Amino acid sequence: MQRLNDVHELRRWREQVRREECLVGFVPTMGALHAGHASLLERSSRECERTLLSIFVNPLQFNDPQDFARYPQTLEADLEIAARTGVDAVFLGRRDDLYPAGFQSFVEPRGCALPLEGEHRQGHFAGVATIVLKLLSLAQADRAYFGEKDWQQLQVVRALVLDFHLECEIVPCATLRESDGLALSSRNTRLDPAARRNALAISRALGAAARAYAGGARDRARLEAEMQRVLSQTRSVEVEYAVVADAQTLEPWAGPPRAPRALIAARVGGVRLIDNAALDEPPVGPLEL
Ligand code: PAF
């Protein structure tokens, strides 16, 4: 596995792979890799001839400086996971390289970037879209793999690729969950045992909405009330939003035939968690609980 320490080395690697005419898969991350990332990397390694991983904790997408400062950094463990999952090259992003003095151009996504996370984390998606545009331009990958846990981010990235005519297929990958339903997230390591237990209210609420939908409920207010009912059973969960939105536009769901997505953001034990589920697909795995 090759380590690419700056943009220049990444470009050189990409040139060489282009000469070999290999299909390239790309998994952009902020490190602190877990089994969810590993599944993206394994899928890329299975489907592509070369897999590129990037690790860069992008300061631009953190609206809260404390959240940025506390973001887990586990480089050695990340490199082990990368080697185990068949990664060919890992780009280790550096702030002074990706945002050198004088950096002045930013992507300002609108549409599906405006509600929910857009409202609660001012500037977050501008940071995400700016770094993703930079990384996709550098990686020139045939495919890039994104987790569905960040559902709204996935829609923002899809729009970005369309709007800027980027030639990269965005491959959505299903959320991985612990056996009790908790969605895998790098932030889970910051949950103490009590918060870890309380955080289950989030996946329970999504499961309740999915069951209500499967039982015939099509009224957005009723589905959202069902989520609130479950969330309110755990007092230490501070809900930021628990909504049923249009899966693509992220606007309030207007009913069939548009696809409904249930999305929740909540603080548990000082840690902000997000999760989501499709309502028009039968709940699978731990969400059946
Ligand atoms: O999902 C993430 O880890 C980040 O938002 C991404 C896409 C790597 C951009 O920094």
Side-chain angles (χ1 to χ4, degrees), residues 28-30 37 56 58 61 71 128 131-132 135 146 150 153:
T29 77
M30 299 204 297
H37 297 111
F56 176 58
N58 174 34
Q61 70 188 75
Y71 202 83
V128 169
I131 194 68
V132 170
L135 292 172
F146 285 83
D150 294 303
Q153 167 175 283

Side-chain angles (χ1 to χ4, degrees), residues 58-172:
N58 174 34
L60 222 60
Q61 70 188 75
F62 286 83
N63 52 323
D64 173 0
Q66 282 198 355
D67 193 25
F68 175 62
R70 280 198 297 244
Y71 202 83
Q73 306 232 24
T74 57
L75 183 60
E76 286 316 309
D78 291 351
L79 294 175
E80 273 172 36
I81 291 176
R84 180 157 55 72
T85 52
V87 169
D88 296 280
V90 50
F91 170 60
L92 302 170
R94 281 198 337 266
R95 190 179 186 148
D96 61 336
D97 192 30
L98 285 163
Y99 300 118
F103 182 86
Q104 57 169 30
S105 306
F106 301 88
V107 180
E108 189 70 54
R110 298 194 187 158
C112 67
L114 297 180
L116 308 180
E117 292 299 285
E119 262 170 36
H120 288 264
R121 300 185 70 191
Q122 290 291 322
H124 169 64
F125 282 131
V128 169
T130 301
I131 194 68
V132 170
L133 178 60
K134 285 161 73 67
L135 292 172
L136 291 181
S137 312
L138 287 165
Q140 303 269 309
D142 300 285
R143 295 185 187 154
Y145 295 80
F146 285 83
E148 289 186 350
K149 195 184 80 63
D150 294 303
W151 180 260
Q152 192 174 3
Q153 167 175 283
L154 175 63
Q155 308 317 311
V156 170
V157 169
R158 280 175 161 158
L160 179 83
V161 165
L162 213 63
D163 292 345
F164 288 96
H165 313 283
L166 305 180
E167 289 190 78
C168 178
E169 183 193 344
I170 301 301
V171 184

